[in-house]
Amino acid sequence: MHSLRKSISPSKMLAVVLLSFLSAGTSYGIAQARTSSFSGEFGGSTGSHFDQSNNQLDGPITALRIRANDRYIVSIQVRYGDSWSNTEGGTVGSSSNVQLFLGEGFVQVLGRFRSHMEYLAFRTNQGRIFAFGPSFGSGTFFNAEPSFPNTVLRSISGRSGSSVDAIGFHWDTDE
């Protein structure tokens, strides 16, 4: 036993301790990554890129403000906690507001697109559904859902100009 203690130098011991911390951090990161997922990007390739991932630091999604006309989704604005995001898209068309209940979150988004978003329907974990844009059209349909249970929509990203050209959905736990 005495010879074993003698064979491990202080620098080797430090290396073992550091390696233990690094591998512990890695396994924690892997566990964390299993709650987040991404769906998309759905839509066209024009417009400027936007990403609201940092907005989720203000809290969970609590409301939506979507503007649509008879052909497509013009703009989207999301309230994270008590703070509204930038409006992504244009200013024409009629605006609709959706307020979520405490503890309610979006768990599915159905949509249709061509060169921009034509239609979006959001379903919550309490069974409510909110639809925006024309229900008819010949665009491509998509169904966006989180990859892991007990997760909700936490932020959006995509492309916009005078309309919402493309959109992606970032899912995670509602913390």
Side-chain angles (χ1 to χ4, degrees):
M1 182 91 80
H2 180 68
S3 63
L4 180 61
R5 254 189 260 151
K6 210 174 191 182
S7 66
I8 299 178
S9 68
S11 61
K12 285 183 184 177
M13 183 60 84
L14 180 60
V16 169
V17 170
L18 287 175
L19 187 59
S20 299
F21 281 123
L22 288 174
S23 61
T26 302
S27 61
Y28 176 75
I30 290 170
Q32 284 294 93
R34 291 186 187 195
T35 62
S36 63
S37 59
F38 176 73
S39 304
E41 177 171 286
F42 305 101
S45 58
T46 59
S48 299
H49 178 72
F50 69 87
D51 185 349
Q52 296 184 354
S53 295
N54 285 338
N55 294 71
Q56 67 182 310
L57 298 174
D58 293 329
I61 293 175
T62 56
L64 290 177
R65 182 176 293 141
I66 295 184
R67 189 175 292 276
N69 62 25
D70 61 347
R71 296 187 343 227
Y72 52 84
I73 304 296
V74 176
S75 68
I76 186 167
Q77 188 177 23
V78 181
R79 189 174 72 196
Y80 297 89
D82 294 326
S83 302
W84 284 98
S85 70
N86 291 332
T87 299
E88 305 299 344
T91 58
V92 299
S94 60
S95 179
S96 298
N97 293 324
V98 169
Q99 177 93 16
L100 295 180
F101 299 133
L102 185 63
E104 188 175 27
F106 296 114
V107 295
Q108 181 183 28
V109 182
L110 299 175
R112 187 181 65 248
F113 66 90
R114 293 188 98 177
S115 58
H116 28 249
M117 282 295 114
E118 295 178 346
Y119 174 79
L120 290 170
F122 294 80
R123 184 174 64 86
T124 75
N125 54 2
Q126 294 186 11
R128 296 198 300 160
I129 298 172
F130 304 99
F132 308 93
S135 58
F136 58 89
S138 59
T140 302
F141 284 91
F142 69 86
N143 176 25
E145 295 180 285
S147 298
F148 302 102
N150 303 316
T151 57
V152 296
L153 183 63
R154 291 290 292 159
S155 68
I156 62 169
S157 60
R159 305 183 70 73
S160 67
S162 59
S163 66
V164 178
D165 300 314
I167 194 164
F169 306 96
H170 302 263
W171 311 93
D172 208 336
T173 54
D174 189 12
E175 295 178 0

